[in-house]
Amino acid sequence: MTSLQDDTSAAPAAPFPTGFRWGAATAAYQIEGAAGEGGRGPSIWDTFCRTPGKVLNGENGDVAVDHYHRFREDVALMSSLGLTAYRFSISWPRVQPTGAGSFNSEGLDFYRRLVDALLEAGIEPWPTLYHWDLPQPLEDKGGWPERETAHRFAEYAAHVHAALGDRVHHWTTVNEPWCAAFLGYASGEHAPGRRDPSASLLAAHHLLLGHGLAVDAMRAETPGNRFGAAVNLYAVSPATDAPEDVDAARRIDGLQNRLFLDPLLLGRYPEDVLADTERYGFAPPDADLAVISRPIDQLGINYYSRHTVAGTPGEATQTASSPFSTYSPWVGSDHVRFVPAGRPVTGMGWEIDERGLYEVLTRLYREYPSLPLYITENGAGYDETPDGDGTVQDAGRIAYIDAHLRACHDAISEGVPLHGYFTWSLLDNFEWAWGYSKRFGLVHVDYATQRRVPKDSARWYADVIRRGGLPGRA
Ligand code: FCB
């Protein structure tokens, strides 16, 4: 494969530290396909996609971008971009089809081959153990609102780590527990599609507990490896200085950010969030917090946008990605409104606000114990159509990533220990409830032929990696 990297030796105007990880991210259900192959069991997403009205156009991940069969081609693509690290997720139902009891060695072998191919290409593997594809039999027994699921997760994590931990050194337990808990169990927009606020709070707690139990189990096997979780954080601002708006921002920041960061990093739930959610009977056992807050070695941050919120009554705004319905069971639909702040949006309707990323990073540095940080997701989704020759001129994505990398650079200059950046995503893929309608990849995929064609952003990113930083502003 020819290299995508331009032949330029210009020194970057915004250099990143030596050893900074330059990566891209994907997730199993979104790319692998081969849903019925290799002994894989059903996950909650297989079931959800088959439930009418849940996923746009009734699409599903049965084939996705066929990465299960094409992973060697995809690793070659990563090489041609010059990626130094690759974040992917391991499908629990591929490795342990019923989520309990026997493991499927054929499933694990796929990840062995993938890891070997990555290492051979000089690309560091960064697996995530849970990116939302819970084995369906575990959901049938109650899913994440059941404490037992946390224990099952730790057992599965230990098994995968025992197989790969000698060659894989950076491990992410759960991806975006906010989404798994609240989109999955409160708003019902994601699998398993339940709408039960009390259950969603228990799900959040057990995802965190599963994280802590998994860290313990894996660390017992190989103490030298590095463990952490990936959380989706938002900058949150009040629409005005009015006390109602300021309080709305406190509540949303509480549910979105602090509900996860405080237990993980401080070993306690935020008092105000416990008070806000008291009516749902959320009373997590104190003893669990010691497990949830086991020291971690790295924190993954997924950042896409900012929420601007108002606490005064008015018309609720629903954008493509509105978390409004997610929060409404909690905060009262007439008491928190997500309002547009007038910034340009991506094809998801998400406002582009790189300053928010800087705020999130510097806040973590200020308010929480300092630990190595990685951007484990950041990117822009559009509804793109390629030119006649299959190429995609995605200037919007380039501008988005450039701006967010500059925000990372600013944070690093102020001492924030940020050590890597993984853009979402390497390839166009199955975007959950949006089906295949939104494309986030650096590489365009023709879903009919599975042909991969790097977009302009792929060439641009390869050049940034080669230079070790960003060019001067045009
Ligand atoms: C994140 C998910 C990821 C992808 C991006 C766009 O919330 O972790 O799988 O869908 O959003």
Side-chain angles (χ1 to χ4, degrees), residues 198-470:
S198 301
S200 74
L201 280 166
L202 286 172
H205 180 68
H206 294 143
L207 281 151
L208 291 171
L209 181 64
H211 152 84
L213 291 169
V215 167
D216 277 354
M218 295 189 287
R219 192 171 273 146
E221 286 166 349
T222 313
N225 282 345
R226 287 163 193 275
F227 305 104
V231 285
N232 53 323
L233 304 180
Y234 278 77
V236 182
S237 307
T240 73
D241 291 342
E244 298 90 331
D245 293 354
V246 171
D247 193 58
R250 174 193 64 73
R251 283 181 281 161
I252 296 306
D253 176 53
L255 286 170
Q256 179 72 57
N257 301 321
R258 291 181 289 115
L259 180 64
F260 299 93
L261 292 173
D262 286 15
L264 280 172
L265 303 177
L266 304 176
R268 59 171 188 256
Y269 278 106
E271 288 295 329
D272 61 320
V273 180
L274 289 180
D276 288 346
T277 55
E278 206 178 354
R279 66 195 139 132
Y280 297 112
F282 184 50
D286 275 350
D288 289 352
L289 285 155
V291 179
I292 292 171
S293 62
R294 287 288 192 261
I296 52 176
D297 306 290
Q298 59 192 43
L299 182 70
I301 299 155
N302 296 357
Y303 176 87
Y304 289 93
S305 190
R306 177 192 301 271
H307 291 326
T308 304
V309 295
T312 45
E315 203 185 321
T317 45
Q318 287 273 21
T319 62
S321 63
S322 175
F324 178 79
S325 53
T326 311
Y327 285 117
S328 57
W330 306 85
V331 287
S333 54
D334 49 348
H335 293 132
V336 173
R337 292 180 297 126
F338 289 78
V339 297
R343 298 184 184 90
V345 295
T346 66
M348 299 296 287
W350 299 348
E351 288 198 0
I352 301 169
D353 189 346
E354 64 275 9
R355 198 67 197 162
L357 176 56
Y358 169 84
E359 283 173 28
V360 162
L361 287 169
T362 49
R363 174 199 196 172
L364 275 165
Y365 185 47
R366 266 196 327 269
E367 296 181 17
Y368 292 92
S370 167
L371 81 164
L373 304 176
Y374 293 86
I375 303 298
T376 35
E377 284 183 31
N378 176 246
Y382 293 98
D383 194 353
E384 291 159 333
T385 16
D387 295 340
D389 59 355
T391 59
V392 177
Q393 296 175 25
D394 55 342
R397 180 169 295 103
I398 294 175
Y400 182 99
I401 300 177
D402 179 90
H404 286 78
L405 279 172
R406 283 180 205 280
C408 291
H409 188 264
D410 288 351
I412 293 170
S413 312
E414 289 174 31
V416 174
L418 178 68
H419 298 293
Y421 175 92
F422 294 78
T423 193
W424 183 272
S425 179
L426 175 70
L427 301 160
D428 290 342
N429 60 49
F430 175 74
E431 180 46 38
W432 308 113
W434 290 98
Y436 293 93
S437 66
K438 305 291 179 192
R439 294 173 176 272
F440 276 85
L442 296 174
V443 176
H444 181 268
V445 180
D446 177 335
Y447 297 125
T449 62
Q450 298 293 353
R451 181 164 172 248
R452 277 100 161 115
V453 178
K455 302 177 190 175
D456 282 359
S457 58
R459 272 178 285 278
W460 174 86
Y461 193 48
D463 187 43
V464 169
I465 297 172
R466 212 188 68 75
R467 293 169 187 247
L470 296 161

Side-chain angles (χ1 to χ4, degrees), residues 102-123:
S102 55
F103 289 93
N104 171 34
S105 55
E106 201 181 340
L108 204 46
D109 281 347
F110 168 68
Y111 299 104
R112 285 200 181 93
R113 289 195 297 274
L114 173 63
V115 162
D116 287 346
L118 289 166
L119 292 174
E120 223 166 276
I123 300 168

